[in-house]
mmCIF file of all heavy atoms in Angstrom:
data_model
loop_
_atom_site.group_PDB
_atom_site.id
_atom_site.type_symbol
_atom_site.label_atom_id
_atom_site.label_comp_id
_atom_site.label_asym_id
_atom_site.label_seq_id
_atom_site.Cartn_x
_atom_site.Cartn_y
_atom_site.Cartn_z
ATOM 1 N N LYS A 2 96.838 112.242 93.996
ATOM 2 C CA LYS A 2 97.070 110.912 94.583
ATOM 3 C C LYS A 2 95.731 110.433 95.237
ATOM 4 O O LYS A 2 95.012 111.238 95.723
ATOM 5 C CB LYS A 2 98.142 110.877 95.629
ATOM 6 C CG LYS A 2 99.644 110.951 95.035
ATOM 7 C CD LYS A 2 100.643 110.796 95.968
ATOM 8 C CE LYS A 2 102.041 110.881 95.458
ATOM 9 N NZ LYS A 2 103.123 110.707 96.492
ATOM 10 N N TYR A 32 87.606 100.288 104.127
ATOM 11 C CA TYR A 32 88.459 99.750 105.055
ATOM 12 C C TYR A 32 89.753 100.568 105.225
ATOM 13 O O TYR A 32 90.409 100.910 104.274
ATOM 14 C CB TYR A 32 88.833 98.257 104.599
ATOM 15 C CG TYR A 32 87.599 97.398 104.386
ATOM 16 C CD1 TYR A 32 86.950 97.473 103.159
ATOM 17 C CD2 TYR A 32 86.971 96.888 105.467
ATOM 18 C CE1 TYR A 32 85.852 96.719 102.915
ATOM 19 C CE2 TYR A 32 85.746 96.129 105.261
ATOM 20 C CZ TYR A 32 85.229 96.027 104.028
ATOM 21 O OH TYR A 32 84.026 95.280 103.845
ATOM 22 N N TYR A 36 99.743 100.884 109.455
ATOM 23 C CA TYR A 36 100.822 100.002 109.579
ATOM 24 C C TYR A 36 102.077 100.884 110.104
ATOM 25 O O TYR A 36 102.228 102.008 109.901
ATOM 26 C CB TYR A 36 101.213 99.452 108.223
ATOM 27 C CG TYR A 36 100.358 98.400 107.598
ATOM 28 C CD1 TYR A 36 99.212 98.774 106.907
ATOM 29 C CD2 TYR A 36 100.635 97.090 107.792
ATOM 30 C CE1 TYR A 36 98.365 97.750 106.369
ATOM 31 C CE2 TYR A 36 99.805 96.117 107.240
ATOM 32 C CZ TYR A 36 98.640 96.423 106.534
ATOM 33 O OH TYR A 36 97.889 95.449 105.988
ATOM 34 N N GLN A 38 106.270 100.725 110.207
ATOM 35 C CA GLN A 38 107.346 100.196 109.566
ATOM 36 C C GLN A 38 108.709 100.643 110.094
ATOM 37 O O GLN A 38 108.951 101.885 110.035
ATOM 38 C CB GLN A 38 107.304 100.398 107.939
ATOM 39 C CG GLN A 38 108.368 99.769 107.122
ATOM 40 C CD GLN A 38 108.049 99.929 105.628
ATOM 41 O OE1 GLN A 38 107.585 101.003 105.243
ATOM 42 N NE2 GLN A 38 108.607 98.974 104.874
ATOM 43 N N ARG A 41 114.147 99.238 107.186
ATOM 44 C CA ARG A 41 114.507 98.025 106.520
ATOM 45 C C ARG A 41 113.762 96.859 106.870
ATOM 46 O O ARG A 41 114.222 95.628 106.800
ATOM 47 C CB ARG A 41 116.094 97.787 106.602
ATOM 48 C CG ARG A 41 116.897 98.891 106.016
ATOM 49 C CD ARG A 41 118.394 98.612 106.007
ATOM 50 N NE ARG A 41 119.078 99.653 105.259
ATOM 51 C CZ ARG A 41 119.344 99.632 103.979
ATOM 52 N NH1 ARG A 41 118.802 98.635 103.315
ATOM 53 N NH2 ARG A 41 119.968 100.613 103.403
ATOM 54 N N LYS A 42 112.497 97.141 107.280
ATOM 55 C CA LYS A 42 111.562 95.933 107.708
ATOM 56 C C LYS A 42 110.290 96.123 106.886
ATOM 57 O O LYS A 42 110.022 97.207 106.386
ATOM 58 C CB LYS A 42 111.281 95.984 109.152
ATOM 59 C CG LYS A 42 112.476 95.873 110.163
ATOM 60 C CD LYS A 42 113.070 94.432 110.035
ATOM 61 C CE LYS A 42 114.184 94.372 111.054
ATOM 62 N NZ LYS A 42 114.805 92.988 110.952
ATOM 63 N N GLY A 43 109.480 95.012 106.882
ATOM 64 C CA GLY A 43 108.152 95.120 106.220
ATOM 65 C C GLY A 43 107.217 95.821 107.200
ATOM 66 O O GLY A 43 107.352 95.924 108.413
ATOM 67 N N PRO A 44 106.109 96.296 106.588
ATOM 68 C CA PRO A 44 104.990 96.966 107.427
ATOM 69 C C PRO A 44 104.376 96.008 108.417
ATOM 70 O O PRO A 44 104.032 94.925 108.007
ATOM 71 C CB PRO A 44 104.075 97.517 106.366
ATOM 72 C CG PRO A 44 104.839 97.603 105.053
ATOM 73 C CD PRO A 44 105.839 96.382 105.164
ATOM 74 N N LEU A 46 100.979 95.492 110.750
ATOM 75 C CA LEU A 46 99.637 96.018 111.035
ATOM 76 C C LEU A 46 99.385 96.357 112.393
ATOM 77 O O LEU A 46 99.674 95.696 113.410
ATOM 78 C CB LEU A 46 98.615 94.902 110.712
ATOM 79 C CG LEU A 46 97.189 95.329 110.866
ATOM 80 C CD1 LEU A 46 96.714 96.446 109.759
ATOM 81 C CD2 LEU A 46 96.198 94.136 110.617
ATOM 82 N N TYR A 49 93.053 98.324 112.211
ATOM 83 C CA TYR A 49 92.137 98.057 111.152
ATOM 84 C C TYR A 49 90.796 98.445 111.465
ATOM 85 O O TYR A 49 90.249 98.023 112.557
ATOM 86 C CB TYR A 49 92.198 96.483 110.907
ATOM 87 C CG TYR A 49 91.215 96.062 109.746
ATOM 88 C CD1 TYR A 49 91.588 96.057 108.455
ATOM 89 C CD2 TYR A 49 89.868 95.524 110.117
ATOM 90 C CE1 TYR A 49 90.777 95.568 107.442
ATOM 91 C CE2 TYR A 49 89.149 95.098 109.149
ATOM 92 C CZ TYR A 49 89.490 95.192 107.822
ATOM 93 O OH TYR A 49 88.614 94.692 106.872
ATOM 94 N N LEU A 88 102.367 104.133 108.156
ATOM 95 C CA LEU A 88 101.704 104.162 106.860
ATOM 96 C C LEU A 88 100.290 104.013 106.978
ATOM 97 O O LEU A 88 99.790 103.084 107.741
ATOM 98 C CB LEU A 88 102.281 103.035 106.002
ATOM 99 C CG LEU A 88 103.692 103.068 105.631
ATOM 100 C CD1 LEU A 88 104.132 101.609 105.252
ATOM 101 C CD2 LEU A 88 103.958 103.922 104.288
ATOM 102 N N SER A 92 91.199 100.379 101.311
ATOM 103 C CA SER A 92 90.785 99.667 100.270
ATOM 104 C C SER A 92 89.284 99.816 100.229
ATOM 105 O O SER A 92 88.590 100.223 101.157
ATOM 106 C CB SER A 92 91.186 98.196 100.455
ATOM 107 O OG SER A 92 90.487 97.576 101.520
ATOM 108 N N GLY A 93 88.658 99.394 99.033
ATOM 109 C CA GLY A 93 87.268 99.381 98.848
ATOM 110 C C GLY A 93 86.543 98.095 98.921
ATOM 111 O O GLY A 93 87.217 97.088 99.180
ATOM 112 N N ASN A 94 85.277 98.104 98.673
ATOM 113 C CA ASN A 94 84.504 96.799 98.811
ATOM 114 C C ASN A 94 84.782 95.792 97.647
ATOM 115 O O ASN A 94 84.816 94.594 97.872
ATOM 116 C CB ASN A 94 83.049 97.024 98.812
ATOM 117 C CG ASN A 94 82.555 97.334 100.177
ATOM 118 O OD1 ASN A 94 82.969 96.743 101.063
ATOM 119 N ND2 ASN A 94 81.610 98.176 100.327
ATOM 120 N N GLY A 96 87.556 96.153 95.368
ATOM 121 C CA GLY A 96 88.985 96.063 94.899
ATOM 122 C C GLY A 96 89.771 95.196 95.851
ATOM 123 O O GLY A 96 89.482 95.030 97.005
ATOM 124 N N ASN A 97 90.826 94.577 95.392
ATOM 125 C CA ASN A 97 91.716 93.811 96.164
ATOM 126 C C ASN A 97 93.020 94.596 96.452
ATOM 127 O O ASN A 97 93.809 94.023 97.120
ATOM 128 C CB ASN A 97 92.070 92.549 95.392
ATOM 129 C CG ASN A 97 90.785 91.752 95.045
ATOM 130 O OD1 ASN A 97 89.935 91.508 95.813
ATOM 131 N ND2 ASN A 97 90.650 91.541 93.709
ATOM 132 N N GLN A 98 93.079 95.834 95.920
ATOM 133 C CA GLN A 98 94.282 96.534 96.021
ATOM 134 C C GLN A 98 94.242 97.465 97.272
ATOM 135 O O GLN A 98 93.202 98.102 97.486
ATOM 136 C CB GLN A 98 94.441 97.443 94.784
ATOM 137 C CG GLN A 98 95.586 98.291 94.719
ATOM 138 C CD GLN A 98 95.664 99.021 93.455
ATOM 139 O OE1 GLN A 98 94.915 98.742 92.456
ATOM 140 N NE2 GLN A 98 96.509 100.113 93.372
ATOM 141 N N PHE A 99 95.334 97.480 97.944
ATOM 142 C CA PHE A 99 95.427 98.443 99.104
ATOM 143 C C PHE A 99 96.150 99.673 98.551
ATOM 144 O O PHE A 99 97.145 99.560 97.821
ATOM 145 C CB PHE A 99 96.297 97.776 100.258
ATOM 146 C CG PHE A 99 95.493 97.005 101.259
ATOM 147 C CD1 PHE A 99 94.415 96.268 100.746
ATOM 148 C CD2 PHE A 99 95.858 96.865 102.509
ATOM 149 C CE1 PHE A 99 93.732 95.397 101.621
ATOM 150 C CE2 PHE A 99 95.192 96.022 103.349
ATOM 151 C CZ PHE A 99 94.093 95.382 102.987
ATOM 152 N N PHE A 101 98.235 102.970 99.667
ATOM 153 C CA PHE A 101 99.089 103.398 100.869
ATOM 154 C C PHE A 101 99.411 104.886 100.727
ATOM 155 O O PHE A 101 99.539 105.430 99.605
ATOM 156 C CB PHE A 101 100.385 102.635 100.840
ATOM 157 C CG PHE A 101 100.284 101.260 101.460
ATOM 158 C CD1 PHE A 101 99.851 100.191 100.676
ATOM 159 C CD2 PHE A 101 100.478 101.113 102.796
ATOM 160 C CE1 PHE A 101 99.777 98.942 101.173
ATOM 161 C CE2 PHE A 101 100.396 99.837 103.318
ATOM 162 C CZ PHE A 101 100.051 98.743 102.586
ATOM 163 N N GLY A 102 99.465 105.509 101.809
ATOM 164 C CA GLY A 102 100.111 106.822 101.885
ATOM 165 C C GLY A 102 101.575 106.771 101.757
ATOM 166 O O GLY A 102 102.109 105.665 101.790
ATOM 167 N N THR A 103 102.251 107.898 101.701
ATOM 168 C CA THR A 103 103.721 107.815 101.563
ATOM 169 C C THR A 103 104.443 107.537 102.872
ATOM 170 O O THR A 103 105.653 107.162 102.916
ATOM 171 C CB THR A 103 104.272 109.216 101.097
ATOM 172 O OG1 THR A 103 103.803 110.227 102.016
ATOM 173 C CG2 THR A 103 103.802 109.559 99.698
ATOM 174 N N TYR B 35 103.954 94.104 96.301
ATOM 175 C CA TYR B 35 104.100 95.613 96.370
ATOM 176 C C TYR B 35 105.519 95.962 96.046
ATOM 177 O O TYR B 35 106.447 95.314 96.509
ATOM 178 C CB TYR B 35 103.654 96.185 97.606
ATOM 179 C CG TYR B 35 102.099 96.078 97.957
ATOM 180 C CD1 TYR B 35 101.565 94.854 98.431
ATOM 181 C CD2 TYR B 35 101.297 97.119 97.694
ATOM 182 C CE1 TYR B 35 100.297 94.761 98.684
ATOM 183 C CE2 TYR B 35 99.812 97.051 97.946
ATOM 184 C CZ TYR B 35 99.402 95.936 98.507
ATOM 185 O OH TYR B 35 98.000 95.742 98.728
ATOM 186 N N GLN B 37 108.086 99.080 97.025
ATOM 187 C CA GLN B 37 108.251 100.319 97.799
ATOM 188 C C GLN B 37 109.654 100.954 97.492
ATOM 189 O O GLN B 37 110.589 100.455 97.942
ATOM 190 C CB GLN B 37 108.149 99.919 99.326
ATOM 191 C CG GLN B 37 108.146 101.143 100.207
ATOM 192 C CD GLN B 37 107.981 100.928 101.606
ATOM 193 O OE1 GLN B 37 108.325 99.752 102.146
ATOM 194 N NE2 GLN B 37 107.517 101.890 102.443
ATOM 195 N N GLY B 40 111.376 106.086 100.584
ATOM 196 C CA GLY B 40 110.619 107.380 100.881
ATOM 197 C C GLY B 40 109.269 107.424 100.470
ATOM 198 O O GLY B 40 108.572 108.467 100.626
ATOM 199 N N GLN B 41 108.752 106.244 99.934
ATOM 200 C CA GLN B 41 107.330 106.251 99.375
ATOM 201 C C GLN B 41 106.634 105.039 100.082
ATOM 202 O O GLN B 41 107.257 104.216 100.625
ATOM 203 C CB GLN B 41 107.385 106.048 97.868
ATOM 204 C CG GLN B 41 108.032 107.166 97.124
ATOM 205 C CD GLN B 41 107.383 108.435 97.187
ATOM 206 O OE1 GLN B 41 106.106 108.485 97.146
ATOM 207 N NE2 GLN B 41 107.999 109.492 97.325
ATOM 208 N N GLY B 42 105.369 105.163 99.902
ATOM 209 C CA GLY B 42 104.546 103.935 100.344
ATOM 210 C C GLY B 42 104.523 102.846 99.413
ATOM 211 O O GLY B 42 104.877 103.060 98.222
ATOM 212 N N PRO B 43 104.175 101.633 99.894
ATOM 213 C CA PRO B 43 104.148 100.541 98.924
ATOM 214 C C PRO B 43 103.105 100.823 97.709
ATOM 215 O O PRO B 43 102.043 101.348 97.981
ATOM 216 C CB PRO B 43 103.585 99.368 99.817
ATOM 217 C CG PRO B 43 104.006 99.785 101.173
ATOM 218 C CD PRO B 43 103.870 101.354 101.174
ATOM 219 N N PHE B 45 100.925 98.823 94.702
ATOM 220 C CA PHE B 45 100.395 97.486 94.358
ATOM 221 C C PHE B 45 100.916 97.048 92.969
ATOM 222 O O PHE B 45 100.813 97.842 92.076
ATOM 223 C CB PHE B 45 98.915 97.558 94.396
ATOM 224 C CG PHE B 45 98.148 96.336 94.031
ATOM 225 C CD1 PHE B 45 98.129 95.294 94.810
ATOM 226 C CD2 PHE B 45 97.534 96.337 92.748
ATOM 227 C CE1 PHE B 45 97.511 94.054 94.424
ATOM 228 C CE2 PHE B 45 96.901 95.094 92.348
ATOM 229 C CZ PHE B 45 96.846 94.033 93.220
ATOM 230 N N GLN B 48 97.870 90.719 92.760
ATOM 231 C CA GLN B 48 97.352 89.977 93.793
ATOM 232 C C GLN B 48 96.921 88.614 93.152
ATOM 233 O O GLN B 48 96.342 88.626 92.112
ATOM 234 C CB GLN B 48 96.145 90.538 94.528
ATOM 235 C CG GLN B 48 95.690 89.677 95.630
ATOM 236 C CD GLN B 48 94.485 90.211 96.393
ATOM 237 O OE1 GLN B 48 93.416 90.385 95.807
ATOM 238 N NE2 GLN B 48 94.613 90.496 97.612
ATOM 239 N N ARG B 55 93.998 88.141 90.560
ATOM 240 C CA ARG B 55 92.806 88.898 90.974
ATOM 241 C C ARG B 55 92.888 90.417 90.746
ATOM 242 O O ARG B 55 91.939 91.126 90.714
ATOM 243 C CB ARG B 55 92.510 88.598 92.409
ATOM 244 C CG ARG B 55 91.841 87.265 92.677
ATOM 245 C CD ARG B 55 91.569 87.090 94.126
ATOM 246 N NE ARG B 55 90.599 88.015 94.764
ATOM 247 C CZ ARG B 55 90.412 88.172 95.988
ATOM 248 N NH1 ARG B 55 90.944 87.369 96.853
ATOM 249 N NH2 ARG B 55 89.517 89.051 96.478
ATOM 250 N N LEU B 88 112.325 98.070 97.587
ATOM 251 C CA LEU B 88 111.942 96.954 98.504
ATOM 252 C C LEU B 88 110.748 96.358 97.909
ATOM 253 O O LEU B 88 109.690 97.050 97.675
ATOM 254 C CB LEU B 88 111.687 97.545 99.877
ATOM 255 C CG LEU B 88 111.410 96.502 100.969
ATOM 256 C CD1 LEU B 88 112.539 95.562 101.322
ATOM 257 C CD2 LEU B 88 110.948 97.221 102.234
ATOM 258 N N LEU B 90 107.788 93.883 98.458
ATOM 259 C CA LEU B 90 107.009 93.315 99.627
ATOM 260 C C LEU B 90 105.998 92.359 99.206
ATOM 261 O O LEU B 90 105.272 92.623 98.221
ATOM 262 C CB LEU B 90 106.379 94.480 100.486
ATOM 263 C CG LEU B 90 107.310 95.489 101.110
ATOM 264 C CD1 LEU B 90 106.467 96.725 101.480
ATOM 265 C CD2 LEU B 90 107.862 94.865 102.330
ATOM 266 N N GLY B 99 87.737 90.349 98.747
ATOM 267 C CA GLY B 99 87.462 91.785 98.561
ATOM 268 C C GLY B 99 88.176 92.615 99.456
ATOM 269 O O GLY B 99 89.354 92.394 99.867
ATOM 270 N N GLY B 100 87.563 93.763 99.827
ATOM 271 C CA GLY B 100 88.310 94.763 100.527
ATOM 272 C C GLY B 100 88.372 94.339 102.080
ATOM 273 O O GLY B 100 89.015 95.070 102.735
ATOM 274 N N ARG B 101 87.719 93.300 102.390
ATOM 275 C CA ARG B 101 87.767 92.766 103.808
ATOM 276 C C ARG B 101 89.081 92.164 104.082
ATOM 277 O O ARG B 101 89.375 91.732 105.227
ATOM 278 C CB ARG B 101 86.685 91.898 104.190
ATOM 279 C CG ARG B 101 85.214 92.582 103.883
ATOM 280 C CD ARG B 101 84.176 91.563 104.440
ATOM 281 N NE ARG B 101 84.101 90.434 103.596
ATOM 282 C CZ ARG B 101 83.504 90.340 102.455
ATOM 283 N NH1 ARG B 101 82.979 91.335 101.914
ATOM 284 N NH2 ARG B 101 83.597 89.250 101.756
ATOM 285 N N ASP B 102 89.867 91.911 103.053
ATOM 286 C CA ASP B 102 91.258 91.261 103.337
ATOM 287 C C ASP B 102 92.035 92.119 104.366
ATOM 288 O O ASP B 102 92.029 93.288 104.251
ATOM 289 C CB ASP B 102 91.979 91.140 102.054
ATOM 290 C CG ASP B 102 91.455 89.933 101.236
ATOM 291 O OD1 ASP B 102 90.584 89.263 101.628
ATOM 292 O OD2 ASP B 102 92.046 89.784 100.162
ATOM 293 N N ILE B 103 92.687 91.487 105.250
ATOM 294 C CA ILE B 103 93.815 92.065 106.046
ATOM 295 C C ILE B 103 94.950 91.518 105.662
ATOM 296 O O ILE B 103 95.208 90.332 105.681
ATOM 297 C CB ILE B 103 93.531 91.788 107.483
ATOM 298 C CG1 ILE B 103 92.138 92.485 108.022
ATOM 299 C CG2 ILE B 103 94.645 92.429 108.360
ATOM 300 C CD1 ILE B 103 91.815 92.119 109.444
ATOM 301 N N GLN B 104 95.907 92.406 105.109
ATOM 302 C CA GLN B 104 97.129 91.877 104.605
ATOM 303 C C GLN B 104 98.297 92.083 105.583
ATOM 304 O O GLN B 104 98.418 93.078 106.207
ATOM 305 C CB GLN B 104 97.446 92.746 103.278
ATOM 306 C CG GLN B 104 96.453 92.546 102.294
ATOM 307 C CD GLN B 104 96.815 93.107 100.854
ATOM 308 O OE1 GLN B 104 97.836 93.607 100.649
ATOM 309 N NE2 GLN B 104 95.794 92.898 99.898
ATOM 310 N N TYR B 105 99.079 90.960 105.619
ATOM 311 C CA TYR B 105 100.155 90.877 106.565
ATOM 312 C C TYR B 105 101.412 90.777 105.678
ATOM 313 O O TYR B 105 101.547 89.866 104.742
ATOM 314 C CB TYR B 105 100.008 89.606 107.447
ATOM 315 C CG TYR B 105 98.802 89.655 108.359
ATOM 316 C CD1 TYR B 105 97.633 89.161 107.925
ATOM 317 C CD2 TYR B 105 98.934 90.289 109.607
ATOM 318 C CE1 TYR B 105 96.427 89.277 108.727
ATOM 319 C CE2 TYR B 105 97.765 90.363 110.357
ATOM 320 C CZ TYR B 105 96.586 89.818 110.011
ATOM 321 O OH TYR B 105 95.468 89.943 110.768
ATOM 322 N N PHE B 106 102.447 91.580 106.014
ATOM 323 C CA PHE B 106 103.572 91.691 105.160
ATOM 324 C C PHE B 106 104.808 90.972 105.642
ATOM 325 O O PHE B 106 105.038 90.798 106.829
ATOM 326 C CB PHE B 106 103.966 93.132 105.046
ATOM 327 C CG PHE B 106 103.059 93.955 104.189
ATOM 328 C CD1 PHE B 106 101.931 94.511 104.673
ATOM 329 C CD2 PHE B 106 103.318 94.261 102.790
ATOM 330 C CE1 PHE B 106 100.990 95.191 103.886
ATOM 331 C CE2 PHE B 106 102.462 94.946 102.024
ATOM 332 C CZ PHE B 106 101.272 95.500 102.563
ATOM 333 N N GLY B 107 105.570 90.518 104.654
ATOM 334 C CA GLY B 107 106.904 89.966 104.971
ATOM 335 C C GLY B 107 107.888 91.090 105.107
ATOM 336 O O GLY B 107 107.567 92.263 104.973
ATOM 337 N N ALA B 108 109.133 90.710 105.315
ATOM 338 C CA ALA B 108 110.290 91.683 105.599
ATOM 339 C C ALA B 108 110.736 92.265 104.294
ATOM 340 O O ALA B 108 111.324 93.334 104.210
ATOM 341 C CB ALA B 108 111.424 91.074 106.327
ATOM 342 N N ARG B 111 115.114 93.425 99.162
ATOM 343 C CA ARG B 111 115.664 94.731 98.746
ATOM 344 C C ARG B 111 116.473 94.416 97.409
ATOM 345 O O ARG B 111 117.527 93.716 97.392
ATOM 346 C CB ARG B 111 116.573 95.307 99.769
ATOM 347 C CG ARG B 111 117.090 96.664 99.330
ATOM 348 C CD ARG B 111 117.537 97.526 100.589
ATOM 349 N NE ARG B 111 116.548 97.685 101.540
ATOM 350 C CZ ARG B 111 115.596 98.659 101.547
ATOM 351 N NH1 ARG B 111 115.636 99.454 100.508
ATOM 352 N NH2 ARG B 111 114.793 98.730 102.528
#
Side-chain angles (χ1 to χ4, degrees):
Chain A
K2 285 185 177 180
Y32 303 92
Y36 286 84
Q38 186 174 27
R41 298 188 173 271
K42 301 290 186 182
L46 181 67
Y49 173 88
L88 295 156
S92 65
N94 271 326
N97 306 305
Q98 177 177 350
F99 277 30
F101 282 84
T103 55
Chain B
Y35 290 81
Q37 186 177 24
Q41 300 294 317
F45 175 74
Q48 186 181 62
R55 282 177 63 188
L88 180 67
L90 295 163
R101 298 185 297 278
D102 284 358
I103 298 177
Q104 298 191 358
Y105 298 90
F106 285 83
R111 186 162 300 278

